[in-house]
Amino acid sequence: MKRPLEPSAEGRGRVVGITDGVFAIALTLIVLEIRVPAHETVHSERELITAITALAPRFLTYALSFLTLTIFWFGQQAQHGLIAKSDRRLATLNLCFLGFIALLPFSTDLLADFLEFRTAVLAYWFNLLMLGLTLLASWRYADKNGFLAEGVDAETTRTVYLRIIKAQILWAVGAALCLISPLLSVGFILVVQLIYAAAPRAPLLRKVIG
């Protein structure tokens, strides 16, 4: 009889199954926060342009979070491709990661409404931090317990670690910039997201995530 904590490919498959659903919901929720201006408040082209312009912070934070979700989806997909089996502890770590993915629409909305406040920037950064830590913890647990697939060499394992850690360092620098200007902080994090979304990956990671 299979015990609950016994590693299995089936357990990995169930985690993979729920992941895309959570990401899809998060992607939908962040765009729903960009609301079309109320028709009764717009009576001319100028008023419509003004109303759309007022949505600029929301478009900015939408782009930021879309890139965030893209980067972490790639990261999670890469891990799923490199991990052959899972147990309850690894599944729990993955669910914690997805819990912070589900929280991202809230931190995005908070940042859009209070873009000029440091607390909103730090709350968003904390969300990024927890995403990175849970992703790192999942990878470390799989690595240390022999759950990685055959053919995953030390270089690939190290690349995954470094990619997560480097991103967290850059995002921490971006968060620190809110002491100068919250908008500067958001701009820096956005640039980091763009770089990471377009960055080349290790050969095996490219094979896994495209």
Side-chain angles (χ1 to χ4, degrees), residues 37 42 45-57 59:
V42 177
E45 294 285 351
R46 178 174 293 181
E47 289 182 349
L48 180 57
I49 292 172
T50 300
I52 293 173
T53 303
L55 292 173
F59 282 110

Side-chain angles (χ1 to χ4, degrees), residues 85-130:
K85 52 191 175 181
S86 175
D87 63 4
R88 182 179 292 180
R89 291 191 180 95
L90 183 57
T92 299
L93 289 171
N94 278 280
L95 287 172
C96 289
F97 169 80
L98 293 177
F100 287 108
I101 288 293
L103 186 63
L104 194 64
F106 166 76
S107 60
T108 300
D109 194 26
L110 181 71
L111 185 61
D113 280 342
F114 301 99
L115 194 57
E116 70 276 18
F117 291 96
R118 295 186 180 93
T119 301
V121 175
L122 292 175
Y124 190 86
W125 166 72
F126 181 75
N127 203 161
L128 294 180
L129 175 64
M130 296 311 299

Side-chain angles (χ1 to χ4, degrees), residues 7-125:
S8 68
E10 180 185 356
R12 171 196 170 277
R14 297 185 70 178
V15 172
V16 172
I18 195 175
T19 296
D20 286 346
V22 173
F23 271 90
I25 292 170
L27 283 165
T28 301
L29 291 177
I30 61 171
V31 75
L32 289 179
E33 293 304 325
I34 305 177
R35 298 184 178 89
V36 175
H39 190 274
E40 59 271 16
T41 64
V42 177
H43 305 94
S44 67
E45 294 285 351
R46 178 174 293 181
E47 289 182 349
L48 180 57
I49 292 172
T50 300
I52 293 173
T53 303
L55 292 173
R58 293 198 171 274
F59 282 110
L60 175 63
T61 55
Y62 168 74
L64 186 68
S65 290
F66 182 86
L67 287 169
T68 296
L69 288 169
T70 298
I71 291 166
F72 279 107
W73 184 80
F74 278 139
Q76 183 77 332
Q77 189 183 28
Q79 285 198 12
H80 288 161
L82 299 172
I83 295 173
K85 52 191 175 181
S86 175
D87 63 4
R88 182 179 292 180
R89 291 191 180 95
L90 183 57
T92 299
L93 289 171
N94 278 280
L95 287 172
C96 289
F97 169 80
L98 293 177
F100 287 108
I101 288 293
L103 186 63
L104 194 64
F106 166 76
S107 60
T108 300
D109 194 26
L110 181 71
L111 185 61
D113 280 342
F114 301 99
L115 194 57
E116 70 276 18
F117 291 96
R118 295 186 180 93
T119 301
V121 175
L122 292 175
Y124 190 86
W125 166 72

Side-chain angles (χ1 to χ4, degrees), residues 90 136-148 157 161:
L90 183 57
L136 185 65
S138 297
W139 181 248
R140 179 176 173 79
Y141 182 82
D143 180 27
K144 297 302 180 184
N145 288 277
F147 291 173
L148 301 187
T157 303
Y161 279 121

